[in-house]
Amino acid sequence: MSWEPQVTDLRVDNLVEPLGLGNFRPEFSWRVTGSIGQIAAEVEVGPSAEFAAGTRCWTSGKVVGTRPFGLRYAGPPLPARQQMYWRVRVWRADGTETGWSAPTRFETGMGAAQWCARWITGPDVTAPATLYLRTELSLPGRVVRARAYASALGWYRLVINGLDLTAPALVPRWTPFQDYVEYQTYDATAALRPGANVVGIVVSEGRFRGKLGGLSRPARYGDQLAAIAHLDIELADGQQITIGTDESWTTARGPIRWSDPKHGERVDLRIPDPLCAPPADALPGGAVARVLAPHRRRLIAEEVERVTEVARLPATVSRTRAGVVLVDFGQNFSGVVSILLNGAAGDRIVLSYSEVLTPAGELDTTYLGDRDPARWFQRDEIILAGAPVRYRPAFTIHGFRYLAVEGLSGELCAADVEGIVLSTALTETGRFSCSNPVLERLHANVEWSMLSNFTDTPSDCPTRERSGWTGDIQVFASTAAILAGVRPYLRRYLGNLAAEQLPDGRVPVVIPSESAPDRIGLPERLFRVLSSSTGWGDASVILPWTLYWYYGDEDILGRQYISAQAWVDHLTRRAATRRGLARRLRCGVGAQEQFILDSGFHFGEWLRPGEALTAQLRDAVFAPRPAVATAYLAHSTRLLSRIADVLGEAGDAERYTLLADRIRDAWNAAFVRVEGARIGDDNQDDYVRALAFELLPPDRRAAAVARLVELIEAADGHLGTGFLSTAMLLPTLSRNGRSDIAYRVLHQTSAPSWRAQIQRGATTIWETWEGYDPAGKARRSHNHYALGAVAAWLHEDVAGLRPAAPGYARIRIDPTVGGELTWASSVLDTPYGRASSTWRIDQSGLDLAVEVPPGTIAEVVLPTGGMAEVGGGAHEWHWPPTP
Ligand code: RAM
């Protein structure tokens, strides 16, 4: 009989066997197999896997609770740089006990004062060149254990004896570099050997000195690339050796001349790689490293899975009419290529990447704004050394489907080139399938846009500005939480958000904010004006709530509480003290005016179909859409009151509840015209917001739903929502009794619609509904996940599987049978385990099959009416019931 583990998927801070943990009070989580849930659990931590008596350093004792997560280490302070083991056992509701799980490891990271290393840089510090640093190290014996702790100002790779320990990760990830930089921990045991060793670090621009944002402004955090590394080595005879970066290291020139995340790589393969060559003194451009002048940035441990290779894509190769070699990977994505290059020494190869082609079939290098193809950024240039080489860029990442290759002397075959998809190594948690392949393609497009933008930090697009726009992640966060295990990834984003929030509570519209305070120039100053925008800054409240709702993460509510309060308090103050232009011109609403938010910059609904960008920007500045802004203020205040409640802050909870009520009432007084039941500017999104944020009194909801439907019908079944409300449109319709209209919008095949994008060949979600102008020329980004938030509706309403309590402790299964579908299915890995909902309709009737994770309860809304409540396990229904 095979032995099946009863407790699986052990994680520490949601990571599998993390190395170099910065949090010394980590959280443990696991999954219980079978259908019977947990009623209590015990976690044990010790320095060895045996847990022999006396060696255990902590036990939680038997902790009563049904959640297989959220149990935190509370023993004696953990030492830094210490490998620990832990295991868990669970008591189930049926009185059985699982016994101890197999032990698993975690290791703490560096203590702040323990770095025996200094930040070092090269002699010509500000030159736009890659920095190669190296040292030689002689080891008198066999290495039994080695750890390397490293980071850089710029993206770096740690290379020991020619073995690259970092690739393909792009680290350190982007943080507010003026304050802190993440470091990585590596197991370097296998890379080191007795005798001579070469330890090297190569540093490129990265997000530290690379070109950032829409304006591609370089050096926003500093102009000196630098690195730091500390190695702890233990030899077989027990000897401990520590080395660190210092002025004994040397620098040299290397083949990567310059490499920018966005603008590509310049490589001269004729220059030998100094990290692979033995004698340092013979290296071209060799010099002594310099210690960086003192600075105040802290080193913190990384907390998130690194960027890695998640897939490889085959290519087709052709020649364009202009004679250019064109490679098509058949899928828009984020990453690099691996390509076989052949030619004479000194030959120059140029690789240009784009998401789209011109109407004439050439690579389009102007569609993202710049009319001058010479200024195209996604480009790698390689000078060959004479021998055939497989080239793959190291320190750049492109958003593309097509690659143009120039300068090859021979032919390129499809087998010579591959697309390498790079994304954060997140665990996929949500799968959707249904009878309509176009909707499956839509779901896949959303997944591709998420993969493409969940690299360094969640970005709007992987091409143009690649910025961490708050509004984009605000609308997409719940979709992301359904599709993948994004809890650490979004927690990290929120940590950066709080760190960069302005003293008055405003939130920069991009996080990280793309500039150190001492490097803020006029463009950054102008950009900062945007920090008051509702719908964007509300990420500070909506994201923590989303993580709580989908993962049961109470800790994040506590951690972000001050930040969330600062945002709401800022808007409340602004409403009370500043009167916007619009209000001065219109008739007021008396004493309630103090709750109307109509000053400051607000993007508003943003990018409604058919609205010109210039007009939207003008409105955002001069007519800041108080109906939208005040609705967000009411919504965030309401969420904040719930957050306060969860945190046990009773006084705050009451205060914010009262405030939310007042803002809601003022919003009703100012923007709802009772006669005719018109709201705001009478756009579709006005009704969606009103209903989704529950701003209307119950007796006005039906009229709002009716008007929303009327507007959609007047638009011949098309959506008219923009950036903010599209995600809420279909759930609002289906949860208010109009799933017929929701399906009509979903199945719509002419623009604006998701299916129109697919019919035009979209393999990702586009920034605009049309994607191309009438002449067929591409417009704006073709890889923006924001409008892809519709995938949440596929899971939560079409298949009908959604949380009814934080972390899916209670699940609501409420399928929406309809549309053109004959079956649909969502399979989710929730914090409690696998949940699924599958319905199928045919001549014999309707089937519903659900899977409920152990320890949870599902309330099932039966498609024929009525409710059933079921516990863990598989359940099925058939209508008409079989006798
Ligand atoms: C664009 C970005 C982003 C959006 C802002 C307002 O520049 O692409 O998606 O949040 O505008």
Side-chain angles (χ1 to χ4, degrees):
M1 206 176 85
S2 71
W3 179 80
E4 293 257 333
Q6 300 185 55
V7 191
T8 60
D9 200 17
L10 272 66
R11 291 180 182 231
V12 179
D13 278 351
N14 286 282
L15 304 170
V16 179
E17 300 209 322
L19 206 59
L21 212 58
N23 173 18
F24 284 28
R25 256 194 84 235
E27 178 193 330
F28 302 105
S29 61
W30 55 90
R31 297 279 159 81
V32 184
T33 57
S35 60
I36 312 294
Q38 155 190 325
I39 50 164
E42 179 178 11
V43 165
E44 220 174 52
V45 177
S48 89
E50 278 73 49
F51 291 93
T55 64
R56 177 176 89 172
C57 77
W58 179 68
T59 168
S60 64
K62 184 174 176 180
V63 180
V64 173
T66 56
R67 304 194 314 175
F69 58 92
L71 206 156
R72 279 186 185 276
Y73 178 79
L78 289 171
R81 289 181 284 164
Q82 176 73 41
Q83 178 166 291
M84 302 299 277
Y85 290 83
W86 74 284
R87 58 183 183 173
V88 58
R89 63 174 160 171
V90 162
W91 287 265
R92 292 200 185 92
D94 61 357
T96 57
E97 199 198 303
T98 59
W100 288 109
S101 68
T104 149
R105 280 175 298 188
F106 68 96
E107 195 172 303
T108 51
M110 269 283 192
Q114 293 178 321
W115 287 85
C116 292
R118 308 185 71 185
W119 283 100
I120 56 169
T121 183
D124 189 6
V125 287
T126 54
T130 307
L131 174 65
Y132 284 83
L133 296 159
R134 55 171 271 159
T135 193
E136 280 153 49
L137 167 70
S138 178
L139 292 174
R142 191 170 59 83
V143 176
V144 290
R145 185 176 191 275
R147 291 289 180 269
Y149 306 88
S151 189
L153 302 180
W155 278 345
Y156 81 95
R157 286 184 175 185
L158 174 67
V159 182
I160 299 182
N161 295 324
L163 189 71
D164 187 337
L165 297 184
T166 310
L170 301 169
V171 286
R173 275 192 154 89
W174 199 353
T175 49
F177 290 124
Q178 69 279 7
D179 293 328
Y180 52 93
V181 185
E182 293 177 347
Y183 72 87
Q184 285 64 47
T185 303
Y186 302 92
D187 183 349
T189 316
L192 291 162
R193 54 190 178 222
N197 290 271
V198 177
V199 179
I201 305 172
V202 50
V203 189
S204 73
E205 310 293 295
R207 301 292 204 171
F208 177 79
R209 199 172 75 172
K211 301 188 179 188
L212 302 182
L215 298 178
S216 282
R217 304 245 299 152
R220 301 321 303 144
Y221 296 96
D223 42 25
Q224 299 184 20
L225 302 183
I228 189 165
H230 168 126
L231 272 81
D232 285 328
I233 303 160
E234 192 184 320
L235 301 183
D237 63 3
Q239 220 186 120
Q240 306 274 348
I241 296 171
T242 295
I243 66 152
T245 39
D246 59 20
E247 52 274 76
S248 72
W249 287 49
T250 55
T251 75
R253 277 196 300 134
I256 303 175
R257 306 299 304 129
W258 180 79
S259 191
D260 180 273
K262 182 173 171 184
H263 286 249
E265 200 149 284
R266 312 289 174 261
V267 175
D268 187 343
L269 295 172
R270 295 169 303 183
I271 305 174
D273 185 341
L275 304 191
C276 295
D281 45 10
L283 293 170
V288 176
R290 288 193 321 115
V291 170
L292 205 63
H295 55 85
R296 63 182 183 90
R297 28 184 99 78
R298 286 175 292 125
L299 280 162
I300 63 162
E302 68 181 345
E303 300 172 334
V304 173
E305 299 89 340
R306 291 181 199 153
V307 165
T308 189
E309 181 181 321
V310 296
R312 287 193 172 216
L313 299 174
T316 50
V317 181
S318 62
R319 240 174 227 280
T320 67
R321 256 187 256 159
V324 175
V325 176
L326 185 75
V327 181
D328 179 358
F329 296 98
Q331 171 64 52
N332 196 11
F333 69 104
S334 213
V336 290
V337 293
S338 164
I339 184 168
L340 192 66
L341 300 177
N342 214 338
D347 279 3
R348 183 165 161 272
I349 310 288
V350 178
L351 307 177
S352 308
Y353 306 78
S354 178
E355 302 176 292
V356 291
L357 302 179
T358 65
E362 304 296 331
L363 195 82
D364 189 341
T365 52
T366 60
Y367 76 105
L368 287 177
D370 215 316
R371 296 190 180 281
D372 179 3
R375 289 166 60 104
W376 186 243
F377 44 93
Q378 305 202 111
R379 174 177 287 144
D380 300 328
E381 293 174 19
I382 306 107
I383 297 178
L384 299 180
V389 62
R390 200 160 250 290
Y391 170 73
R392 173 177 166 161
F395 293 119
T396 191
I397 177 166
H398 306 299
F400 66 107
R401 168 176 169 170
Y402 302 98
L403 160 73
V405 187
E406 290 162 89
L408 279 180
S409 40
E411 285 301 311
L412 182 77
C413 349
D416 294 341
V417 56
E418 259 183 319
I420 312 281
V421 183
L422 296 176
S423 190
T424 300
L426 300 172
T427 312
E428 184 194 25
T429 54
R431 285 160 293 276
F432 175 82
S433 48
C434 70
S435 56
N436 185 330
V438 184
L439 293 190
E440 292 192 339
R441 180 69 237 188
L442 169 62
H443 191 267
N445 286 6
V446 180
E447 290 177 309
W448 276 106
S449 280
M450 176 167 164
L451 278 181
S452 312
N453 282 294
F454 272 44
T455 51
D456 193 348
T457 196
S459 60
D460 62 330
C461 60
T463 46
R464 192 184 56 207
E465 70 259 34
R466 307 167 174 218
S467 301
W469 284 91
T470 50
D472 302 49
I473 194 61
Q474 183 272 107
V475 300
F476 192 73
S478 40
T479 311
I482 292 167
L483 298 181
V486 296
R487 189 176 155 199
Y489 190 72
L490 294 185
R491 281 176 66 99
R492 178 186 177 283
Y493 181 85
L494 282 169
N496 288 340
L497 183 150
E500 296 220 90
Q501 198 161 2
L502 303 178
D504 65 2
R506 284 179 300 151
V507 177
V509 282
V510 294
I511 296 292
S513 73
E514 302 190 349
S515 218
D518 62 348
R519 290 194 168 233
I520 290 186
L522 185 62
E524 286 82 18
R525 241 175 262 286
L526 290 174
F527 202 61
R528 189 142 282 193
V529 172
L530 313 183
S531 314
S532 59
S533 180
T534 43
W536 273 253
D538 294 283
S540 58
V541 184
I542 295 174
L543 253 62
W545 183 258
T546 305
L547 292 179
Y548 171 64
W549 190 243
Y550 283 91
Y551 296 105
D553 187 352
E554 278 166 31
D555 181 74
I556 196 68
L557 298 183
R559 211 192 71 183
Q560 297 298 127
Y561 189 51
I562 292 176
S563 154
Q565 269 187 305
W567 169 251
V568 167
D569 292 350
H570 168 78
L571 295 183
T572 310
R573 262 195 321 272
R574 180 178 277 277
T577 57
R578 297 203 201 169
R579 248 170 146 240
L581 189 63
R583 198 181 336 166
R584 278 182 242 150
L585 300 179
R586 279 192 213 161
C587 49
V589 283
Q592 285 175 307
E593 271 198 18
Q594 59 181 309
F595 302 110
I596 300 295
L597 183 58
D598 64 350
S599 70
F601 177 92
H602 297 276
F603 281 109
E605 175 64 13
W606 195 243
L607 293 186
R608 281 192 198 93
E611 283 185 355
L613 184 63
T614 40
Q616 295 194 42
L617 269 176
R618 187 199 55 219
D619 284 355
V621 178
F622 298 109
R625 304 288 186 211
V628 182
T630 310
Y632 271 90
L633 176 56
H635 182 55
S636 280
T637 309
R638 182 75 61 201
L639 289 183
L640 185 58
S641 73
R642 292 184 190 143
I643 292 173
D645 196 37
V646 177
L647 295 175
E649 300 285 349
D652 284 356
E654 203 185 317
R655 188 161 58 87
Y656 287 118
T657 302
L658 196 67
L659 180 60
D661 289 349
R662 289 194 168 145
I663 300 165
R664 179 201 58 204
D665 294 347
W667 179 88
N668 271 277
F671 307 115
V672 182
R673 297 183 294 288
V674 182
E675 315 77 56
R678 294 291 184 267
I679 298 178
D681 293 331
D682 196 29
N683 288 313
Q684 289 182 24
D685 54 272
D686 284 305
Y687 299 91
V688 172
R689 254 188 316 277
L691 292 160
F693 294 170
E694 299 184 344
L695 299 176
L696 295 169
D699 61 341
R700 296 218 184 123
R701 290 180 66 91
V705 175
R707 180 60 185 159
L708 173 59
V709 170
E710 219 170 83
L711 288 170
I712 295 170
E713 283 182 335
D716 201 18
H718 290 91
L719 54 79
T721 46
F723 223 75
L724 291 183
S725 302
T726 296
M728 302 186 286
L729 174 66
L730 303 190
T732 298
L733 287 164
S734 61
R735 294 177 201 181
N736 284 284
R738 295 313 302 261
S739 55
D740 56 331
I741 303 294
Y743 270 122
R744 188 169 169 208
V745 173
L746 179 73
H747 289 307
Q748 178 60 255
T749 50
S750 57
S753 74
W754 293 279
R755 287 181 69 164
Q757 287 192 347
I758 293 169
Q759 279 175 2
R760 274 215 82 157
T763 58
T764 39
I765 302 292
W766 297 341
E767 182 177 15
T768 62
W769 290 109
E770 297 77 15
Y772 294 86
D773 70 12
K777 161 104 177 115
R779 286 183 8 189
R780 307 192 71 172
S781 149
H782 277 230
N783 206 349
H784 251 64
Y785 52 59
L787 299 176
V790 67
W793 188 72
L794 299 177
H795 286 271
E796 299 201 325
D797 295 81
V798 172
L801 184 60
R802 57 181 191 260
Y808 292 88
R810 198 174 173 86
I811 298 173
R812 187 168 174 89
I813 297 180
D814 185 5
T816 310
V817 177
E820 296 168 14
L821 300 178
T822 54
W823 65 270
S825 173
S826 161
V827 181
L828 299 183
D829 288 319
T830 76
Y832 288 85
R834 175 70 51 89
S836 70
S837 166
T838 305
W839 60 262
R840 185 179 295 274
I841 192 159
D842 58 23
Q843 302 91 319
S844 76
L846 172 63
D847 286 305
L848 174 65
V850 308
E851 214 178 330
V852 180
T856 67
I857 288 174
E859 47 192 53
V860 187
V861 182
L862 303 173
T864 49
M867 293 269 289
E869 202 165 271
V870 291
H875 310 272
E876 276 183 34
W877 291 266
H878 181 76
W879 296 274
T882 25

